[in-house]
């Protein structure tokens, strides 16, 4: 398998973990023209809102709106409709909200889609910050984290969603359970030599690609680099040269 430069760039989701549009602006300018995704999470979205997302779209970036909705189905349906109307390319909900809630998200998408093109809708399975002890004792789910992740992935697929956020080490098991077309979006990516920061179980971009991940979320190795543009370009080169 070999990727073009554009295909490699479109697998990278740059995590815009910034407190304001102003704080994110320099990085966005530095990545101008690179066909990557920008991941906008709750910190930035709650500060900068829909206008900021529309600005990213106008500059040609794809947008993953990472708001992890989790509410009653009717509310999630409305939220999904509003997000779809913004023109984002991907958004997510929590699989723990259940099948009816995930189906309601898709109904909201259908309601707001003006064309055949709809955003990719994915689910969060088990947050990687949740240990097995916390999952068992506090959240009340028995068994291993991997079993919970796989059972949420299957539920997500039953509800008709397109994929899940997962650790790169879970991709093979998820693809085995749900099929190759079921998408996986993986954080915890660190190019060789990059600082780990607070991530513990990490893979390099090419290792993650070898697992079969569809998109990799990468934040600080790009956003905190001295030269973010050359940081993303070397990741793109690594992905292109991967065989
Ligand atoms: O800077 P770094 O590459 O660690 O950023 C990873 C991004 O992926 C952050 O936005 C983080 O919130 C997100 N994320 C994660 N682990 C998860 C889910 C999301 O690191 N399990």
């Amino acid at each position: 398998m070999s990727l073009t430069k554009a295909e490699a760039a479109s697998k990278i989701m740059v995590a815009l973990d910034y407190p304001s549009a102003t704080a994110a602006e320099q990085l966005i300018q530095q990545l101008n023209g690179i066909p990557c995704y920008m991941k906008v999470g709750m910190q930035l979205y709650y500060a900068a809102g829909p206008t900021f997302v529309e600005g990213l779209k106008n500059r040609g970036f794809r947008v993953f709106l990472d708001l992890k909705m989790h509410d009653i189905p009717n509310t999630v349906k409305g939220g999904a409709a509003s997000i779809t109307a913004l023109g984002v390319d991907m958004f997510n909900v929590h699989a723990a909200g259940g099948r009816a809630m995930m189906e309601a998200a898709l109904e909201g998408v259908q309601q707001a889609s003006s064309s055949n093109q709809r955003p990719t809708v994915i689910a969060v399975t088990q947050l990687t910050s949740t240990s097995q002890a916390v999952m068992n004792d506090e959240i009340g789910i028995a068994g291993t984290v991997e079993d919970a992740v796989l059972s949420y992935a299957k539920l997500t697929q039953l509800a008709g969603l397109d994929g899940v956020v997962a650790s790169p080490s879970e991709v093979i098991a998820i693809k085995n359970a749900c099929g190759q077309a079921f998408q996986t979006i993986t954080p915890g990516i660190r190019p060789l030599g990059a600082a780990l920061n607070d991530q513990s179980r990490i893979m390099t971009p090419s290792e993650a690609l070898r697992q079969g991940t569809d998109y990799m979320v990468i934040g600080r190795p790009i956003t905190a680099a001295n030269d973010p543009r050359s940081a993303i370009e070397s990741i793109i080169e690594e992905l292109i040269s991967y065989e």
Side-chain angles (χ1 to χ4, degrees), residues 15 17 39 66 68 126-129 165 187-190 196-199 217-221 223:
D17 291 323
K39 182 177 90 72
D66 179 19
K68 302 185 176 69
Q126 200 54 254
L127 293 170
T128 46
S129 51
V165 184
I189 306 292
R190 288 292 178 269
L196 289 187
N197 312 113
D198 50 1
Q199 298 283 7
V217 175
I218 310 180
R220 288 159 292 181
T223 58

Side-chain angles (χ1 to χ4, degrees), residues 41-228:
M42 48 180 104
Q43 182 188 20
L44 184 53
Y45 187 75
Y46 293 159
T51 320
F52 176 77
V53 169
E54 283 159 4
L56 284 176
K57 290 298 300 172
N58 290 340
R59 296 190 210 197
F61 292 109
R62 277 172 257 207
V63 176
F64 167 25
L65 194 52
D66 179 19
L67 296 182
K68 302 185 176 69
M69 285 192 288
H70 188 173
D71 209 317
I72 60 171
N74 189 55
T75 301
V76 168
K77 179 180 171 184
S82 295
I83 288 176
T84 301
L86 275 181
V88 306
D89 302 273
M90 184 183 287
F91 72 90
N92 57 5
V93 300
H94 266 284
R99 181 172 174 176
M101 189 208 77
M102 290 193 273
E103 288 172 345
L106 281 185
E107 285 169 30
V109 166
Q110 247 99 57
Q111 188 185 305
S113 294
S114 50
S115 65
N116 288 338
Q117 278 233 319
R118 68 158 180 85
T120 300
V121 188
I122 58 168
V124 176
T125 54
Q126 200 54 254
L127 293 170
T128 46
S129 51
T130 305
S131 64
Q132 184 174 332
V134 168
M135 190 183 86
N136 296 160
D137 304 338
E138 298 180 18
I139 305 176
I141 298 175
T144 66
V145 171
E146 186 179 337
D147 286 345
V149 167
L150 285 179
S151 119
Y152 276 141
K154 288 182 201 157
L155 184 70
T156 301
Q157 188 173 42
L158 265 182
L161 271 56
D162 305 298
V164 289
V165 184
S167 148
S169 59
E170 292 160 354
V171 169
I172 289 177
I174 290 169
K175 297 269 186 187
N176 284 340
C178 302
Q180 292 303 313
F182 191 69
Q183 298 179 33
T184 51
I185 289 84
T186 59
I189 306 292
R190 288 292 178 269
L192 285 178
L196 289 187
N197 312 113
D198 50 1
Q199 298 283 7
S200 51
R201 291 179 299 132
I202 52 142
M203 283 195 195
T204 64
S206 44
E207 280 168 349
L209 194 60
R210 191 171 306 125
Q211 306 302 304
T213 189
D214 296 279
Y215 297 97
M216 43 194 91
V217 175
I218 310 180
R220 288 159 292 181
I222 296 170
T223 58
N226 287 335
D227 182 349

